[in-house]
Amino acid sequence: MTNHALLSRFSVFALLGVVIGLAACGGGGGGATSTPEPPLTGGDFNVRTEAAARFVRVDRMGQPAVGTALLSRAPGSRPGDDNQRDALNRADPADDTTFIPEMLATLTTLLQQLGPALRVAGLTPCSTGEGSSIVIDKCVSQVAPIIVPDVVTFDLDRPTGWPNGRGFDDPVVDRLLSFALLDLDVHPLDALFELPLNPPGNEGDRDDQSPTTFPYLRPAFPEPSPPPPAPG
């Protein structure tokens, strides 16, 4: 592979990382902050009893990065709401189709900007054409059933693993980007995940997998050593 192709491939996925901006891996991502809960004391649980109307949902925790990648956080970007992303988090899944125009506009822009670089990197976008003549119908048919409504679904009659459910070790963002950007008749779903530019897996070992028994979590990292005392 030429240095030009390597550089182009690196640029594509560096840009994708900026686009996603995964400060959190929840479905909406980047919701508004909430009022801190009073601390728990004496082993008791603090159970809030106010009516549901007193609370505001700040993150849907649905599909990964949908709000972060496809909806704007700019004030006033959603008429009648603060912004598109917070509006999605506060809405109910039954109303998610109302966000499709904003999602389509963002996805079109992403494919217009990334399509040429994806091709140089040896990947086939799900879009055809370029610039104002771009057609993203295939991309929409691939990704829309996954992200609208913005919920995690699980079918017991299908193999498990995102997008059917979500395992601890599923490369969910890579797979979501494949649905949104790549022609999946050409590439496998894990085409982006398998690129050598991806960081290694858990704890620096790509083959490391979560335990298969409850609580499915690895041992906690040891406490870091305290810093040395300040001079003087």
PDB file of all heavy atoms in Angstrom, residues 63-64 66 70 96 103 143-151 162 176:
ATOM      1  N   GLN A  63     -29.222   3.112  20.983  1.00  0.00           N
ATOM      2  CA  GLN A  63     -28.126   2.697  20.116  1.00  0.00           C
ATOM      3  C   GLN A  63     -26.926   3.647  20.271  1.00  0.00           C
ATOM      4  O   GLN A  63     -27.090   4.830  20.559  1.00  0.00           O
ATOM      5  CB  GLN A  63     -28.589   2.666  18.655  1.00  0.00           C
ATOM      6  CG  GLN A  63     -29.667   1.648  18.370  1.00  0.00           C
ATOM      7  CD  GLN A  63     -29.167   0.213  18.537  1.00  0.00           C
ATOM      8  OE1 GLN A  63     -28.036  -0.036  18.933  1.00  0.00           O
ATOM      9  NE2 GLN A  63     -30.037  -0.745  18.242  1.00  0.00           N
ATOM     10  N   PRO A  64     -25.715   3.136  20.065  1.00  0.00           N
ATOM     11  CA  PRO A  64     -24.522   3.942  20.342  1.00  0.00           C
ATOM     12  C   PRO A  64     -24.341   5.099  19.382  1.00  0.00           C
ATOM     13  O   PRO A  64     -24.455   4.935  18.178  1.00  0.00           O
ATOM     14  CB  PRO A  64     -23.378   2.931  20.194  1.00  0.00           C
ATOM     15  CG  PRO A  64     -23.913   1.915  19.232  1.00  0.00           C
ATOM     16  CD  PRO A  64     -25.375   1.794  19.561  1.00  0.00           C
ATOM     17  N   VAL A  66     -25.899   7.606  18.232  1.00  0.00           N
ATOM     18  CA  VAL A  66     -26.875   8.126  17.267  1.00  0.00           C
ATOM     19  C   VAL A  66     -27.012   9.633  17.407  1.00  0.00           C
ATOM     20  O   VAL A  66     -26.868  10.388  16.441  1.00  0.00           O
ATOM     21  CB  VAL A  66     -28.240   7.438  17.450  1.00  0.00           C
ATOM     22  CG1 VAL A  66     -29.308   8.139  16.618  1.00  0.00           C
ATOM     23  CG2 VAL A  66     -28.153   5.969  17.046  1.00  0.00           C
ATOM     24  N   LEU A  70     -25.311  12.138  14.609  1.00  0.00           N
ATOM     25  CA  LEU A  70     -26.275  12.557  13.597  1.00  0.00           C
ATOM     26  C   LEU A  70     -27.138  13.747  13.991  1.00  0.00           C
ATOM     27  O   LEU A  70     -27.893  14.248  13.160  1.00  0.00           O
ATOM     28  CB  LEU A  70     -27.195  11.378  13.238  1.00  0.00           C
ATOM     29  CG  LEU A  70     -26.507  10.183  12.578  1.00  0.00           C
ATOM     30  CD1 LEU A  70     -27.527   9.078  12.302  1.00  0.00           C
ATOM     31  CD2 LEU A  70     -25.811  10.591  11.285  1.00  0.00           C
ATOM     32  N   ASP A  96     -39.526   9.048  17.375  1.00  0.00           N
ATOM     33  CA  ASP A  96     -38.199   9.184  16.774  1.00  0.00           C
ATOM     34  C   ASP A  96     -38.233   9.461  15.279  1.00  0.00           C
ATOM     35  O   ASP A  96     -37.278  10.008  14.728  1.00  0.00           O
ATOM     36  CB  ASP A  96     -37.366   7.926  17.037  1.00  0.00           C
ATOM     37  CG  ASP A  96     -36.831   7.882  18.460  1.00  0.00           C
ATOM     38  OD1 ASP A  96     -37.033   8.869  19.205  1.00  0.00           O
ATOM     39  OD2 ASP A  96     -36.215   6.860  18.832  1.00  0.00           O
ATOM     40  N   MET A 103     -31.421  13.760  10.817  1.00  0.00           N
ATOM     41  CA  MET A 103     -30.451  12.674  10.672  1.00  0.00           C
ATOM     42  C   MET A 103     -30.015  12.515   9.217  1.00  0.00           C
ATOM     43  O   MET A 103     -28.831  12.334   8.923  1.00  0.00           O
ATOM     44  CB  MET A 103     -31.048  11.364  11.186  1.00  0.00           C
ATOM     45  CG  MET A 103     -31.274  11.318  12.686  1.00  0.00           C
ATOM     46  SD  MET A 103     -31.990   9.725  13.187  1.00  0.00           S
ATOM     47  CE  MET A 103     -32.082   9.936  14.961  1.00  0.00           C
ATOM     48  N   VAL A 143     -29.035   1.597   7.600  1.00  0.00           N
ATOM     49  CA  VAL A 143     -28.895   2.076   8.969  1.00  0.00           C
ATOM     50  C   VAL A 143     -30.216   2.449   9.625  1.00  0.00           C
ATOM     51  O   VAL A 143     -30.358   2.338  10.855  1.00  0.00           O
ATOM     52  CB  VAL A 143     -27.914   3.267   9.027  1.00  0.00           C
ATOM     53  CG1 VAL A 143     -28.543   4.551   8.483  1.00  0.00           C
ATOM     54  CG2 VAL A 143     -27.385   3.471  10.432  1.00  0.00           C
ATOM     55  N   ALA A 144     -31.215   2.890   8.846  1.00  0.00           N
ATOM     56  CA  ALA A 144     -32.461   3.364   9.448  1.00  0.00           C
ATOM     57  C   ALA A 144     -33.153   2.310  10.316  1.00  0.00           C
ATOM     58  O   ALA A 144     -33.600   2.629  11.429  1.00  0.00           O
ATOM     59  CB  ALA A 144     -33.411   3.879   8.368  1.00  0.00           C
ATOM     60  N   PRO A 145     -33.262   1.044   9.877  1.00  0.00           N
ATOM     61  CA  PRO A 145     -33.920   0.062  10.748  1.00  0.00           C
ATOM     62  C   PRO A 145     -33.177  -0.197  12.055  1.00  0.00           C
ATOM     63  O   PRO A 145     -33.766  -0.710  13.007  1.00  0.00           O
ATOM     64  CB  PRO A 145     -33.936  -1.215   9.880  1.00  0.00           C
ATOM     65  CG  PRO A 145     -33.800  -0.737   8.478  1.00  0.00           C
ATOM     66  CD  PRO A 145     -32.906   0.464   8.567  1.00  0.00           C
ATOM     67  N   ILE A 146     -31.890   0.174  12.109  1.00  0.00           N
ATOM     68  CA  ILE A 146     -31.095  -0.049  13.310  1.00  0.00           C
ATOM     69  C   ILE A 146     -31.280   1.073  14.317  1.00  0.00           C
ATOM     70  O   ILE A 146     -31.310   0.838  15.531  1.00  0.00           O
ATOM     71  CB  ILE A 146     -29.595  -0.166  12.957  1.00  0.00           C
ATOM     72  CG1 ILE A 146     -29.372  -1.255  11.907  1.00  0.00           C
ATOM     73  CG2 ILE A 146     -28.762  -0.434  14.192  1.00  0.00           C
ATOM     74  CD1 ILE A 146     -29.758  -2.642  12.349  1.00  0.00           C
ATOM     75  N   ILE A 147     -31.415   2.310  13.839  1.00  0.00           N
ATOM     76  CA  ILE A 147     -31.386   3.459  14.753  1.00  0.00           C
ATOM     77  C   ILE A 147     -32.726   4.144  14.940  1.00  0.00           C
ATOM     78  O   ILE A 147     -32.842   5.026  15.799  1.00  0.00           O
ATOM     79  CB  ILE A 147     -30.344   4.492  14.286  1.00  0.00           C
ATOM     80  CG1 ILE A 147     -30.738   5.102  12.934  1.00  0.00           C
ATOM     81  CG2 ILE A 147     -28.969   3.868  14.231  1.00  0.00           C
ATOM     82  CD1 ILE A 147     -29.831   6.247  12.506  1.00  0.00           C
ATOM     83  N   VAL A 148     -33.736   3.799  14.165  1.00  0.00           N
ATOM     84  CA  VAL A 148     -35.066   4.408  14.324  1.00  0.00           C
ATOM     85  C   VAL A 148     -36.084   3.294  14.532  1.00  0.00           C
ATOM     86  O   VAL A 148     -36.322   2.507  13.628  1.00  0.00           O
ATOM     87  CB  VAL A 148     -35.458   5.260  13.101  1.00  0.00           C
ATOM     88  CG1 VAL A 148     -36.841   5.891  13.306  1.00  0.00           C
ATOM     89  CG2 VAL A 148     -34.422   6.351  12.842  1.00  0.00           C
ATOM     90  N   PRO A 149     -36.655   3.193  15.735  1.00  0.00           N
ATOM     91  CA  PRO A 149     -36.449   4.055  16.902  1.00  0.00           C
ATOM     92  C   PRO A 149     -35.126   3.766  17.590  1.00  0.00           C
ATOM     93  O   PRO A 149     -34.527   2.706  17.401  1.00  0.00           O
ATOM     94  CB  PRO A 149     -37.631   3.700  17.810  1.00  0.00           C
ATOM     95  CG  PRO A 149     -37.933   2.264  17.481  1.00  0.00           C
ATOM     96  CD  PRO A 149     -37.681   2.141  15.999  1.00  0.00           C
ATOM     97  N   ASP A 150     -34.673   4.723  18.382  1.00  0.00           N
ATOM     98  CA  ASP A 150     -33.382   4.640  19.064  1.00  0.00           C
ATOM     99  C   ASP A 150     -33.517   3.783  20.327  1.00  0.00           C
ATOM    100  O   ASP A 150     -33.536   4.280  21.455  1.00  0.00           O
ATOM    101  CB  ASP A 150     -32.895   6.048  19.412  1.00  0.00           C
ATOM    102  CG  ASP A 150     -31.551   6.036  20.130  1.00  0.00           C
ATOM    103  OD1 ASP A 150     -30.803   5.055  19.953  1.00  0.00           O
ATOM    104  OD2 ASP A 150     -31.262   6.997  20.873  1.00  0.00           O
ATOM    105  N   VAL A 151     -33.621   2.482  20.116  1.00  0.00           N
ATOM    106  CA  VAL A 151     -33.732   1.523  21.214  1.00  0.00           C
ATOM    107  C   VAL A 151     -32.871   0.310  20.889  1.00  0.00           C
ATOM    108  O   VAL A 151     -32.554   0.051  19.725  1.00  0.00           O
ATOM    109  CB  VAL A 151     -35.193   1.075  21.445  1.00  0.00           C
ATOM    110  CG1 VAL A 151     -36.066   2.248  21.871  1.00  0.00           C
ATOM    111  CG2 VAL A 151     -35.762   0.415  20.200  1.00  0.00           C
ATOM    112  N   TRP A 162     -24.395  -7.277  18.811  1.00  0.00           N
ATOM    113  CA  TRP A 162     -24.947  -6.064  18.218  1.00  0.00           C
ATOM    114  C   TRP A 162     -24.937  -6.154  16.694  1.00  0.00           C
ATOM    115  O   TRP A 162     -23.942  -6.578  16.123  1.00  0.00           O
ATOM    116  CB  TRP A 162     -24.136  -4.832  18.653  1.00  0.00           C
ATOM    117  CG  TRP A 162     -24.858  -3.562  18.361  1.00  0.00           C
ATOM    118  CD1 TRP A 162     -25.725  -2.911  19.179  1.00  0.00           C
ATOM    119  CD2 TRP A 162     -24.809  -2.816  17.150  1.00  0.00           C
ATOM    120  NE1 TRP A 162     -26.208  -1.807  18.551  1.00  0.00           N
ATOM    121  CE2 TRP A 162     -25.670  -1.714  17.300  1.00  0.00           C
ATOM    122  CE3 TRP A 162     -24.131  -2.969  15.946  1.00  0.00           C
ATOM    123  CZ2 TRP A 162     -25.868  -0.767  16.307  1.00  0.00           C
ATOM    124  CZ3 TRP A 162     -24.323  -2.032  14.946  1.00  0.00           C
ATOM    125  CH2 TRP A 162     -25.178  -0.948  15.134  1.00  0.00           C
ATOM    126  N   LEU A 176     -21.852   0.363  13.738  1.00  0.00           N
ATOM    127  CA  LEU A 176     -22.817   1.393  13.366  1.00  0.00           C
ATOM    128  C   LEU A 176     -22.303   2.215  12.195  1.00  0.00           C
ATOM    129  O   LEU A 176     -23.055   2.519  11.252  1.00  0.00           O
ATOM    130  CB  LEU A 176     -23.094   2.306  14.566  1.00  0.00           C
ATOM    131  CG  LEU A 176     -24.058   3.469  14.303  1.00  0.00           C
ATOM    132  CD1 LEU A 176     -25.441   2.945  13.956  1.00  0.00           C
ATOM    133  CD2 LEU A 176     -24.122   4.407  15.484  1.00  0.00           C
TER     134      LEU A 176
END
